[in-house]
Amino acid sequence: MTDTQDLRTAGRSAIRWRRAPGRPKAVVLVLHGGRSEGPEPLRRWNPARLRMRPFSSALLAAVRGEQVAVGEVAYRVRGWNGPLADAAVDAAAAIEQVARDFGPVPVVLLGHSMGGRAALRAAGADPVTGVVALAPWCPPGEPSAQLAGKRLVTLHDVADRVTDPRETRAFALAAREAGAEVAGYTVRGSGHAMLRRGRDWQAAATGLVAAMLGLRPFPDEVSAALALRGSDPGGLDLELPSR
């Protein structure tokens, strides 16, 4: 038994499946936000969890007819909780569960806020091919080397007062320097909760995940950004289009 499995609640699945075909060719895992500190279990109607439901629904529509599974990572507790990094532990456990259940299929992670941080931490696992991070929590010193060889696209509102878009940009550049393929969208007129311009967030996130799955091409500006290497700062401040 691995360390992450030891830390899971006994007998509890790490994933709540929204769609799980018998033999998927790929898997998308959705990770919602939380709190910096919070040892208490999640309530069923947790707002951060509900905030990602429209994204899961949009993903289900986007992969209709494809052998792609969509699941939501089930956190044991509400918070990150310092060095325990509980959400990252749960993300890692979910990726391990995918490998046990379905074998070596590619995994794409879609995370918001604390879930974005968890996705970025867990992205070093072999099955993970890409991460779409929505307003991620990227404090200074957050590791980025695990993203080498992966694809990362960030989206962050310039006026976000919960997580810092400047820290997200700095993390994205560090990930590129570490060997990741990186692009970043700047959002205006929204906020951390993604309620205003919600359809723009959902359309962009869904399209990016689908592109990482190989189901559609990336937007031209994202393809150009992903091609940049090293300390080149280009393509990290793309304007999120309105739809």
Side-chain angles (χ1 to χ4, degrees), residues 35-64:
R35 293 185 172 184
S36 59
E37 301 293 332
E40 67 278 7
L42 281 168
R43 294 183 179 181
R44 182 178 181 183
W45 302 113
N46 177 270
R49 179 183 173 192
L50 295 177
R51 191 170 293 131
M52 291 303 289
R53 281 300 175 88
F55 289 86
S56 296
S57 297
L59 285 170
L60 290 172
V63 302
R64 186 177 294 121

PDB file of all heavy atoms in Angstrom, residues 35-64:
ATOM      1  N   ARG A  35     -10.012  25.800   1.683  1.00  0.00           N
ATOM      2  CA  ARG A  35      -9.442  26.792   2.578  1.00  0.00           C
ATOM      3  C   ARG A  35      -7.980  26.485   2.847  1.00  0.00           C
ATOM      4  O   ARG A  35      -7.548  25.346   2.709  1.00  0.00           O
ATOM      5  CB  ARG A  35     -10.206  26.808   3.908  1.00  0.00           C
ATOM      6  CG  ARG A  35     -11.636  27.314   3.789  1.00  0.00           C
ATOM      7  CD  ARG A  35     -12.261  27.420   5.161  1.00  0.00           C
ATOM      8  NE  ARG A  35     -13.554  28.077   5.123  1.00  0.00           N
ATOM      9  CZ  ARG A  35     -14.280  28.362   6.205  1.00  0.00           C
ATOM     10  NH1 ARG A  35     -13.836  28.005   7.402  1.00  0.00           N
ATOM     11  NH2 ARG A  35     -15.440  28.979   6.087  1.00  0.00           N
ATOM     12  N   SER A  36      -7.258  27.508   3.278  1.00  0.00           N
ATOM     13  CA  SER A  36      -5.866  27.257   3.635  1.00  0.00           C
ATOM     14  C   SER A  36      -5.784  26.331   4.839  1.00  0.00           C
ATOM     15  O   SER A  36      -4.904  25.461   4.907  1.00  0.00           O
ATOM     16  CB  SER A  36      -5.147  28.577   3.927  1.00  0.00           C
ATOM     17  OG  SER A  36      -5.779  29.269   4.989  1.00  0.00           O
ATOM     18  N   GLU A  37      -6.696  26.495   5.803  1.00  0.00           N
ATOM     19  CA  GLU A  37      -6.759  25.624   6.966  1.00  0.00           C
ATOM     20  C   GLU A  37      -8.189  25.129   7.135  1.00  0.00           C
ATOM     21  O   GLU A  37      -9.126  25.902   7.011  1.00  0.00           O
ATOM     22  CB  GLU A  37      -6.325  26.369   8.234  1.00  0.00           C
ATOM     23  CG  GLU A  37      -4.920  26.937   8.175  1.00  0.00           C
ATOM     24  CD  GLU A  37      -3.847  25.856   8.137  1.00  0.00           C
ATOM     25  OE1 GLU A  37      -4.089  24.756   8.664  1.00  0.00           O
ATOM     26  OE2 GLU A  37      -2.764  26.129   7.571  1.00  0.00           O
ATOM     27  N   GLY A  38      -8.346  23.859   7.421  1.00  0.00           N
ATOM     28  CA  GLY A  38      -9.684  23.299   7.618  1.00  0.00           C
ATOM     29  C   GLY A  38      -9.636  21.799   7.758  1.00  0.00           C
ATOM     30  O   GLY A  38      -9.698  21.078   6.758  1.00  0.00           O
ATOM     31  N   PRO A  39      -9.522  21.291   8.997  1.00  0.00           N
ATOM     32  CA  PRO A  39      -9.427  19.838   9.204  1.00  0.00           C
ATOM     33  C   PRO A  39     -10.770  19.127   9.199  1.00  0.00           C
ATOM     34  O   PRO A  39     -10.813  17.905   9.253  1.00  0.00           O
ATOM     35  CB  PRO A  39      -8.765  19.723  10.580  1.00  0.00           C
ATOM     36  CG  PRO A  39      -9.242  20.956  11.301  1.00  0.00           C
ATOM     37  CD  PRO A  39      -9.320  22.032  10.256  1.00  0.00           C
ATOM     38  N   GLU A  40     -11.852  19.914   9.108  1.00  0.00           N
ATOM     39  CA  GLU A  40     -13.183  19.309   9.181  1.00  0.00           C
ATOM     40  C   GLU A  40     -13.577  18.688   7.840  1.00  0.00           C
ATOM     41  O   GLU A  40     -13.144  19.140   6.778  1.00  0.00           O
ATOM     42  CB  GLU A  40     -14.229  20.347   9.584  1.00  0.00           C
ATOM     43  CG  GLU A  40     -14.497  21.449   8.565  1.00  0.00           C
ATOM     44  CD  GLU A  40     -13.490  22.586   8.611  1.00  0.00           C
ATOM     45  OE1 GLU A  40     -12.484  22.468   9.346  1.00  0.00           O
ATOM     46  OE2 GLU A  40     -13.705  23.583   7.889  1.00  0.00           O
ATOM     47  N   PRO A  41     -14.401  17.612   7.871  1.00  0.00           N
ATOM     48  CA  PRO A  41     -14.865  17.007   6.621  1.00  0.00           C
ATOM     49  C   PRO A  41     -15.708  17.985   5.812  1.00  0.00           C
ATOM     50  O   PRO A  41     -16.324  18.912   6.358  1.00  0.00           O
ATOM     51  CB  PRO A  41     -15.702  15.814   7.095  1.00  0.00           C
ATOM     52  CG  PRO A  41     -15.251  15.552   8.494  1.00  0.00           C
ATOM     53  CD  PRO A  41     -14.867  16.883   9.058  1.00  0.00           C
ATOM     54  N   LEU A  42     -15.725  17.776   4.503  1.00  0.00           N
ATOM     55  CA  LEU A  42     -16.544  18.608   3.623  1.00  0.00           C
ATOM     56  C   LEU A  42     -18.014  18.293   3.798  1.00  0.00           C
ATOM     57  O   LEU A  42     -18.409  17.135   3.932  1.00  0.00           O
ATOM     58  CB  LEU A  42     -16.162  18.360   2.158  1.00  0.00           C
ATOM     59  CG  LEU A  42     -14.912  19.046   1.634  1.00  0.00           C
ATOM     60  CD1 LEU A  42     -14.552  18.465   0.292  1.00  0.00           C
ATOM     61  CD2 LEU A  42     -15.125  20.528   1.522  1.00  0.00           C
ATOM     62  N   ARG A  43     -18.837  19.351   3.741  1.00  0.00           N
ATOM     63  CA  ARG A  43     -20.277  19.150   3.688  1.00  0.00           C
ATOM     64  C   ARG A  43     -20.693  18.880   2.243  1.00  0.00           C
ATOM     65  O   ARG A  43     -20.032  19.299   1.303  1.00  0.00           O
ATOM     66  CB  ARG A  43     -21.006  20.378   4.228  1.00  0.00           C
ATOM     67  CG  ARG A  43     -20.767  20.628   5.715  1.00  0.00           C
ATOM     68  CD  ARG A  43     -21.569  21.822   6.196  1.00  0.00           C
ATOM     69  NE  ARG A  43     -21.367  22.041   7.625  1.00  0.00           N
ATOM     70  CZ  ARG A  43     -21.968  23.007   8.305  1.00  0.00           C
ATOM     71  NH1 ARG A  43     -22.764  23.870   7.685  1.00  0.00           N
ATOM     72  NH2 ARG A  43     -21.740  23.124   9.611  1.00  0.00           N
ATOM     73  N   ARG A  44     -21.817  18.213   2.110  1.00  0.00           N
ATOM     74  CA  ARG A  44     -22.271  17.822   0.775  1.00  0.00           C
ATOM     75  C   ARG A  44     -22.467  19.033  -0.127  1.00  0.00           C
ATOM     76  O   ARG A  44     -22.149  18.980  -1.315  1.00  0.00           O
ATOM     77  CB  ARG A  44     -23.586  17.032   0.898  1.00  0.00           C
ATOM     78  CG  ARG A  44     -24.116  16.538  -0.435  1.00  0.00           C
ATOM     79  CD  ARG A  44     -25.383  15.739  -0.231  1.00  0.00           C
ATOM     80  NE  ARG A  44     -25.907  15.239  -1.491  1.00  0.00           N
ATOM     81  CZ  ARG A  44     -27.045  14.560  -1.615  1.00  0.00           C
ATOM     82  NH1 ARG A  44     -27.765  14.271  -0.529  1.00  0.00           N
ATOM     83  NH2 ARG A  44     -27.452  14.143  -2.801  1.00  0.00           N
ATOM     84  N   TRP A  45     -23.000  20.123   0.427  1.00  0.00           N
ATOM     85  CA  TRP A  45     -23.304  21.293  -0.388  1.00  0.00           C
ATOM     86  C   TRP A  45     -22.239  22.371  -0.229  1.00  0.00           C
ATOM     87  O   TRP A  45     -22.536  23.543  -0.239  1.00  0.00           O
ATOM     88  CB  TRP A  45     -24.688  21.837  -0.013  1.00  0.00           C
ATOM     89  CG  TRP A  45     -25.765  20.822  -0.190  1.00  0.00           C
ATOM     90  CD1 TRP A  45     -26.505  20.241   0.792  1.00  0.00           C
ATOM     91  CD2 TRP A  45     -26.203  20.237  -1.418  1.00  0.00           C
ATOM     92  NE1 TRP A  45     -27.388  19.334   0.258  1.00  0.00           N
ATOM     93  CE2 TRP A  45     -27.228  19.305  -1.094  1.00  0.00           C
ATOM     94  CE3 TRP A  45     -25.839  20.398  -2.756  1.00  0.00           C
ATOM     95  CZ2 TRP A  45     -27.878  18.544  -2.072  1.00  0.00           C
ATOM     96  CZ3 TRP A  45     -26.489  19.643  -3.720  1.00  0.00           C
ATOM     97  CH2 TRP A  45     -27.493  18.739  -3.369  1.00  0.00           C
ATOM     98  N   ASN A  46     -20.998  21.977  -0.096  1.00  0.00           N
ATOM     99  CA  ASN A  46     -19.898  22.912   0.013  1.00  0.00           C
ATOM    100  C   ASN A  46     -19.864  23.837  -1.204  1.00  0.00           C
ATOM    101  O   ASN A  46     -19.852  23.361  -2.346  1.00  0.00           O
ATOM    102  CB  ASN A  46     -18.589  22.128   0.130  1.00  0.00           C
ATOM    103  CG  ASN A  46     -17.384  23.038   0.185  1.00  0.00           C
ATOM    104  OD1 ASN A  46     -16.813  23.379  -0.847  1.00  0.00           O
ATOM    105  ND2 ASN A  46     -16.988  23.429   1.381  1.00  0.00           N
ATOM    106  N   PRO A  47     -19.859  25.173  -0.997  1.00  0.00           N
ATOM    107  CA  PRO A  47     -19.914  26.093  -2.141  1.00  0.00           C
ATOM    108  C   PRO A  47     -18.766  25.918  -3.128  1.00  0.00           C
ATOM    109  O   PRO A  47     -18.972  26.025  -4.346  1.00  0.00           O
ATOM    110  CB  PRO A  47     -19.869  27.477  -1.470  1.00  0.00           C
ATOM    111  CG  PRO A  47     -20.409  27.256  -0.113  1.00  0.00           C
ATOM    112  CD  PRO A  47     -19.936  25.888   0.295  1.00  0.00           C
ATOM    113  N   ALA A  48     -17.563  25.667  -2.623  1.00  0.00           N
ATOM    114  CA  ALA A  48     -16.415  25.507  -3.535  1.00  0.00           C
ATOM    115  C   ALA A  48     -16.609  24.291  -4.427  1.00  0.00           C
ATOM    116  O   ALA A  48     -16.242  24.311  -5.614  1.00  0.00           O
ATOM    117  CB  ALA A  48     -15.131  25.382  -2.723  1.00  0.00           C
ATOM    118  N   ARG A  49     -17.164  23.245  -3.860  1.00  0.00           N
ATOM    119  CA  ARG A  49     -17.436  22.043  -4.649  1.00  0.00           C
ATOM    120  C   ARG A  49     -18.511  22.311  -5.692  1.00  0.00           C
ATOM    121  O   ARG A  49     -18.381  21.941  -6.865  1.00  0.00           O
ATOM    122  CB  ARG A  49     -17.859  20.911  -3.715  1.00  0.00           C
ATOM    123  CG  ARG A  49     -18.182  19.611  -4.410  1.00  0.00           C
ATOM    124  CD  ARG A  49     -18.650  18.591  -3.395  1.00  0.00           C
ATOM    125  NE  ARG A  49     -19.131  17.389  -4.038  1.00  0.00           N
ATOM    126  CZ  ARG A  49     -19.798  16.431  -3.407  1.00  0.00           C
ATOM    127  NH1 ARG A  49     -20.032  16.535  -2.111  1.00  0.00           N
ATOM    128  NH2 ARG A  49     -20.219  15.373  -4.063  1.00  0.00           N
ATOM    129  N   LEU A  50     -19.578  22.986  -5.282  1.00  0.00           N
ATOM    130  CA  LEU A  50     -20.671  23.277  -6.209  1.00  0.00           C
ATOM    131  C   LEU A  50     -20.221  24.213  -7.331  1.00  0.00           C
ATOM    132  O   LEU A  50     -20.741  24.150  -8.447  1.00  0.00           O
ATOM    133  CB  LEU A  50     -21.849  23.886  -5.449  1.00  0.00           C
ATOM    134  CG  LEU A  50     -22.529  22.980  -4.428  1.00  0.00           C
ATOM    135  CD1 LEU A  50     -23.620  23.748  -3.696  1.00  0.00           C
ATOM    136  CD2 LEU A  50     -23.110  21.735  -5.091  1.00  0.00           C
ATOM    137  N   ARG A  51     -19.244  25.066  -7.026  1.00  0.00           N
ATOM    138  CA  ARG A  51     -18.760  26.029  -8.021  1.00  0.00           C
ATOM    139  C   ARG A  51     -18.184  25.335  -9.254  1.00  0.00           C
ATOM    140  O   ARG A  51     -18.201  25.888 -10.363  1.00  0.00           O
ATOM    141  CB  ARG A  51     -17.694  26.911  -7.366  1.00  0.00           C
ATOM    142  CG  ARG A  51     -17.273  28.116  -8.176  1.00  0.00           C
ATOM    143  CD  ARG A  51     -16.400  29.020  -7.317  1.00  0.00           C
ATOM    144  NE  ARG A  51     -17.182  29.593  -6.234  1.00  0.00           N
ATOM    145  CZ  ARG A  51     -16.808  29.603  -4.950  1.00  0.00           C
ATOM    146  NH1 ARG A  51     -15.660  29.056  -4.590  1.00  0.00           N
ATOM    147  NH2 ARG A  51     -17.578  30.163  -4.049  1.00  0.00           N
ATOM    148  N   MET A  52     -17.676  24.121  -9.075  1.00  0.00           N
ATOM    149  CA  MET A  52     -17.071  23.412 -10.195  1.00  0.00           C
ATOM    150  C   MET A  52     -18.050  22.508 -10.936  1.00  0.00           C
ATOM    151  O   MET A  52     -17.691  21.929 -11.971  1.00  0.00           O
ATOM    152  CB  MET A  52     -15.875  22.592  -9.709  1.00  0.00           C
ATOM    153  CG  MET A  52     -14.696  23.432  -9.259  1.00  0.00           C
ATOM    154  SD  MET A  52     -14.076  24.559 -10.541  1.00  0.00           S
ATOM    155  CE  MET A  52     -13.313  23.392 -11.664  1.00  0.00           C
ATOM    156  N   ARG A  53     -19.263  22.355 -10.418  1.00  0.00           N
ATOM    157  CA  ARG A  53     -20.225  21.484 -11.098  1.00  0.00           C
ATOM    158  C   ARG A  53     -20.513  21.927 -12.531  1.00  0.00           C
ATOM    159  O   ARG A  53     -20.594  21.076 -13.434  1.00  0.00           O
ATOM    160  CB  ARG A  53     -21.515  21.386 -10.282  1.00  0.00           C
ATOM    161  CG  ARG A  53     -21.408  20.430  -9.092  1.00  0.00           C
ATOM    162  CD  ARG A  53     -21.081  19.037  -9.584  1.00  0.00           C
ATOM    163  NE  ARG A  53     -20.839  18.080  -8.524  1.00  0.00           N
ATOM    164  CZ  ARG A  53     -21.773  17.355  -7.928  1.00  0.00           C
ATOM    165  NH1 ARG A  53     -23.046  17.506  -8.260  1.00  0.00           N
ATOM    166  NH2 ARG A  53     -21.455  16.500  -6.986  1.00  0.00           N
ATOM    167  N   PRO A  54     -20.700  23.230 -12.813  1.00  0.00           N
ATOM    168  CA  PRO A  54     -20.911  23.628 -14.214  1.00  0.00           C
ATOM    169  C   PRO A  54     -19.738  23.262 -15.114  1.00  0.00           C
ATOM    170  O   PRO A  54     -19.933  22.960 -16.293  1.00  0.00           O
ATOM    171  CB  PRO A  54     -21.104  25.149 -14.128  1.00  0.00           C
ATOM    172  CG  PRO A  54     -21.557  25.404 -12.734  1.00  0.00           C
ATOM    173  CD  PRO A  54     -20.831  24.389 -11.905  1.00  0.00           C
ATOM    174  N   PHE A  55     -18.529  23.276 -14.580  1.00  0.00           N
ATOM    175  CA  PHE A  55     -17.363  22.889 -15.369  1.00  0.00           C
ATOM    176  C   PHE A  55     -17.406  21.385 -15.673  1.00  0.00           C
ATOM    177  O   PHE A  55     -17.129  20.968 -16.798  1.00  0.00           O
ATOM    178  CB  PHE A  55     -16.082  23.246 -14.615  1.00  0.00           C
ATOM    179  CG  PHE A  55     -15.806  24.714 -14.546  1.00  0.00           C
ATOM    180  CD1 PHE A  55     -16.361  25.488 -13.548  1.00  0.00           C
ATOM    181  CD2 PHE A  55     -14.993  25.327 -15.486  1.00  0.00           C
ATOM    182  CE1 PHE A  55     -16.119  26.853 -13.486  1.00  0.00           C
ATOM    183  CE2 PHE A  55     -14.734  26.690 -15.440  1.00  0.00           C
ATOM    184  CZ  PHE A  55     -15.308  27.462 -14.435  1.00  0.00           C
ATOM    185  N   SER A  56     -17.768  20.598 -14.666  1.00  0.00           N
ATOM    186  CA  SER A  56     -17.899  19.153 -14.902  1.00  0.00           C
ATOM    187  C   SER A  56     -18.965  18.872 -15.945  1.00  0.00           C
ATOM    188  O   SER A  56     -18.781  18.026 -16.831  1.00  0.00           O
ATOM    189  CB  SER A  56     -18.238  18.434 -13.593  1.00  0.00           C
ATOM    190  OG  SER A  56     -17.189  18.546 -12.658  1.00  0.00           O
ATOM    191  N   SER A  57     -20.094  19.581 -15.856  1.00  0.00           N
ATOM    192  CA  SER A  57     -21.176  19.372 -16.817  1.00  0.00           C
ATOM    193  C   SER A  57     -20.748  19.761 -18.227  1.00  0.00           C
ATOM    194  O   SER A  57     -21.064  19.068 -19.207  1.00  0.00           O
ATOM    195  CB  SER A  57     -22.410  20.177 -16.395  1.00  0.00           C
ATOM    196  OG  SER A  57     -22.898  19.733 -15.141  1.00  0.00           O
ATOM    197  N   ALA A  58     -20.003  20.879 -18.337  1.00  0.00           N
ATOM    198  CA  ALA A  58     -19.508  21.296 -19.648  1.00  0.00           C
ATOM    199  C   ALA A  58     -18.532  20.271 -20.214  1.00  0.00           C
ATOM    200  O   ALA A  58     -18.540  19.977 -21.417  1.00  0.00           O
ATOM    201  CB  ALA A  58     -18.846  22.667 -19.540  1.00  0.00           C
ATOM    202  N   LEU A  59     -17.706  19.694 -19.346  1.00  0.00           N
ATOM    203  CA  LEU A  59     -16.774  18.662 -19.798  1.00  0.00           C
ATOM    204  C   LEU A  59     -17.521  17.428 -20.287  1.00  0.00           C
ATOM    205  O   LEU A  59     -17.155  16.826 -21.300  1.00  0.00           O
ATOM    206  CB  LEU A  59     -15.830  18.275 -18.658  1.00  0.00           C
ATOM    207  CG  LEU A  59     -14.726  19.274 -18.329  1.00  0.00           C
ATOM    208  CD1 LEU A  59     -14.039  18.878 -17.037  1.00  0.00           C
ATOM    209  CD2 LEU A  59     -13.719  19.346 -19.467  1.00  0.00           C
ATOM    210  N   LEU A  60     -18.573  17.045 -19.566  1.00  0.00           N
ATOM    211  CA  LEU A  60     -19.351  15.876 -19.981  1.00  0.00           C
ATOM    212  C   LEU A  60     -19.919  16.072 -21.383  1.00  0.00           C
ATOM    213  O   LEU A  60     -19.919  15.148 -22.199  1.00  0.00           O
ATOM    214  CB  LEU A  60     -20.482  15.618 -18.984  1.00  0.00           C
ATOM    215  CG  LEU A  60     -20.053  15.119 -17.601  1.00  0.00           C
ATOM    216  CD1 LEU A  60     -21.255  15.100 -16.658  1.00  0.00           C
ATOM    217  CD2 LEU A  60     -19.448  13.726 -17.694  1.00  0.00           C
ATOM    218  N   ALA A  61     -20.395  17.286 -21.647  1.00  0.00           N
ATOM    219  CA  ALA A  61     -20.926  17.570 -22.984  1.00  0.00           C
ATOM    220  C   ALA A  61     -19.816  17.539 -24.031  1.00  0.00           C
ATOM    221  O   ALA A  61     -19.998  17.051 -25.151  1.00  0.00           O
ATOM    222  CB  ALA A  61     -21.623  18.924 -22.984  1.00  0.00           C
ATOM    223  N   ALA A  62     -18.625  18.046 -23.663  1.00  0.00           N
ATOM    224  CA  ALA A  62     -17.524  18.134 -24.622  1.00  0.00           C
ATOM    225  C   ALA A  62     -16.976  16.770 -25.004  1.00  0.00           C
ATOM    226  O   ALA A  62     -16.469  16.606 -26.120  1.00  0.00           O
ATOM    227  CB  ALA A  62     -16.404  18.999 -24.047  1.00  0.00           C
ATOM    228  N   VAL A  63     -17.053  15.796 -24.109  1.00  0.00           N
ATOM    229  CA  VAL A  63     -16.470  14.471 -24.392  1.00  0.00           C
ATOM    230  C   VAL A  63     -17.543  13.442 -24.740  1.00  0.00           C
ATOM    231  O   VAL A  63     -17.253  12.253 -24.822  1.00  0.00           O
ATOM    232  CB  VAL A  63     -15.620  13.963 -23.205  1.00  0.00           C
ATOM    233  CG1 VAL A  63     -14.512  14.951 -22.894  1.00  0.00           C
ATOM    234  CG2 VAL A  63     -16.473  13.702 -21.963  1.00  0.00           C
ATOM    235  N   ARG A  64     -18.776  13.910 -24.953  1.00  0.00           N
ATOM    236  CA  ARG A  64     -19.849  12.986 -25.334  1.00  0.00           C
ATOM    237  C   ARG A  64     -19.450  12.221 -26.599  1.00  0.00           C
ATOM    238  O   ARG A  64     -18.995  12.790 -27.574  1.00  0.00           O
ATOM    239  CB  ARG A  64     -21.146  13.749 -25.562  1.00  0.00           C
ATOM    240  CG  ARG A  64     -22.355  12.850 -25.811  1.00  0.00           C
ATOM    241  CD  ARG A  64     -23.621  13.664 -25.961  1.00  0.00           C
ATOM    242  NE  ARG A  64     -23.977  14.332 -24.723  1.00  0.00           N
ATOM    243  CZ  ARG A  64     -24.100  15.648 -24.578  1.00  0.00           C
ATOM    244  NH1 ARG A  64     -23.882  16.450 -25.616  1.00  0.00           N
ATOM    245  NH2 ARG A  64     -24.437  16.178 -23.409  1.00  0.00           N
TER     246      ARG A  64
END
